Amino acid sequence: MRVVSWNVNSVRLRLDSLARLTREWQPDLVCVQEVKAQAQDFPHNAIKALGYSEIHLRSMKGYNGVAILSRLPLETPAGKDWCGKQDCRHAVASLPGGIELHNFYIPAGGDIPDPEVNAKFAHKLAFLDEAAAWSAEGRHEGKKMILLGDLNIAPLETDVWSHKQLLSVVSHTPIEVEKLGRLQKAGRWVDAVRKIIPPSEKLYSWWSYRALDWSLSDRGRRLDHIWVTPELAPAVADARILREARGWTQASDHVPVMIDLK
């Protein structure tokens, strides 16, 4: 089973890119974030024409939104609201074989890493705390589960172009890294990508639109992740980040992250 996570930054703008991803990599599941389309505007027919007959969408007008696009049957599709907000940042469904799949879009957090003056950063920290408490409930024990999405945090020093320069930049601050670590530890989640690609290797999934030449400057961050529970970790056979997608026509600032399970 090939699984992809991708912040498409508007699904309607990225239809050609989705078609290319499907043609070149043939994923069984594509979990997208930031779809930016309500149900009536979501391109259901175009997605189904790519082979994804099963679509679980949680969306709102203008921003946010997540969706699970699947060639496999999806059972009990649902989603949780976090921090008392109905902002469509989570979708869950069960896959064949009893695998439970969670697609997350964690708040970006704004520009100022101070929850006292930045409500967006406060929301991000509260979301991480709530997710860690959910993950610690024990419901994961003995289950095959996948947690993926745009988690908006680059936890390792090798997940950013400059650890020292980004310590005070939202997405790599110590408090965010610590809270993401608590979330990961609470569910005993295994970083599937780093299971295959060594933590010593520089690895990014996002490059800013502000860069004149994103590839040349290469100031990236690994904000997009795929985690699995220990029960599923032995099945992780391969992982890669499709860096080349950042250079596709009308590209998202994020690129697809992919794992193979056997």
Side-chain angles (χ1 to χ4, degrees):
M1 183 169 66
R2 176 163 285 175
V3 182
V4 166
S5 177
W6 191 7
N7 180 325
V8 291
N9 193 6
S10 176
V11 68
R12 287 172 290 180
L13 287 178
R14 244 51 83 181
L15 278 175
D16 287 346
S17 294
L18 277 169
R20 181 169 179 176
L21 173 73
T22 301
R23 183 173 65 252
E24 295 183 2
W25 294 99
Q26 297 294 319
D28 299 290
L29 292 128
V30 182
C31 296
V32 291
Q33 304 88 39
E34 250 192 306
V35 299
K36 296 183 177 179
Q38 295 180 91
Q40 64 267 30
D41 302 317
F42 191 86
H44 289 88
N45 291 336
I47 297 294
K48 288 180 179 180
L50 297 177
Y52 300 96
S53 58
E54 299 271 337
I55 299 173
H56 174 33
L57 171 67
R58 295 195 74 221
S59 64
M60 59 193 297
K61 185 177 181 179
Y63 60 100
N64 294 354
V66 292
I68 300 172
L69 320 177
S70 180
R71 292 177 168 173
L72 308 173
L74 296 178
E75 298 178 3
T76 60
K80 180 176 170 60
D81 292 324
W82 303 82
C83 302
K85 298 177 181 287
Q86 295 180 324
D87 53 359
C88 301
R89 293 182 177 274
H90 174 248
V92 57
S94 294
L95 307 173
I99 298 173
E100 191 173 284
L101 172 67
H102 292 266
N103 182 9
F104 274 89
Y105 176 42
I106 289 179
D111 295 326
I112 303 171
D114 183 347
E116 298 297 325
V117 300
N118 179 6
K120 291 181 178 180
F121 194 67
H123 177 210
K124 183 176 192 175
L125 299 185
F127 191 108
L128 290 164
D129 286 340
E130 195 169 303
W134 162 81
S135 195
E137 288 173 355
R139 58 188 298 281
H140 308 84
E141 291 299 323
K143 294 184 68 173
K144 295 178 179 178
M145 300 175 68
I146 303 171
L147 186 159
L148 52 70
D150 179 1
L151 306 188
N152 261 315
I153 298 170
L156 304 180
E157 293 187 16
T158 50
D159 290 337
V160 293
W161 65 273
S162 173
H163 168 63
K164 190 173 292 186
Q165 293 185 67
L166 269 68
L167 277 172
S168 59
V169 174
V170 173
S171 76
H172 191 60
T173 64
I175 189 171
E176 292 170 273
V177 171
E178 185 271 332
K179 287 182 181 293
L180 186 69
R182 282 181 50 214
L183 167 56
Q184 185 176 5
K185 185 177 180 181
R188 297 170 59 228
W189 298 102
V190 175
D191 185 336
V193 174
R194 284 303 192 182
K195 183 177 184 292
I196 300 298
I197 303 171
S200 58
E201 185 175 325
K202 286 274 191 180
L203 194 63
Y204 314 137
S205 66
W206 173 91
W207 292 262
S208 173
Y209 283 134
R210 297 175 183 175
L212 293 176
D213 187 328
W214 69 272
S215 183
L216 182 63
S217 61
D218 203 22
R219 295 190 171 192
R221 307 176 205 174
R222 186 172 72 108
L223 305 179
D224 306 88
H225 304 269
I226 303 178
W227 296 350
V228 296
T229 49
E231 291 74 17
L232 197 55
V236 178
D238 196 12
R240 64 183 65 202
I241 293 181
L242 304 183
R243 176 190 171 99
E244 64 270 23
R246 185 61 179 83
W248 291 355
T249 301
Q250 205 170 26
S252 170
D253 46 356
H254 296 253
V255 298
V257 178
M258 183 172 70
I259 66 166
D260 289 340
L261 297 167
K262 291 187 178 179

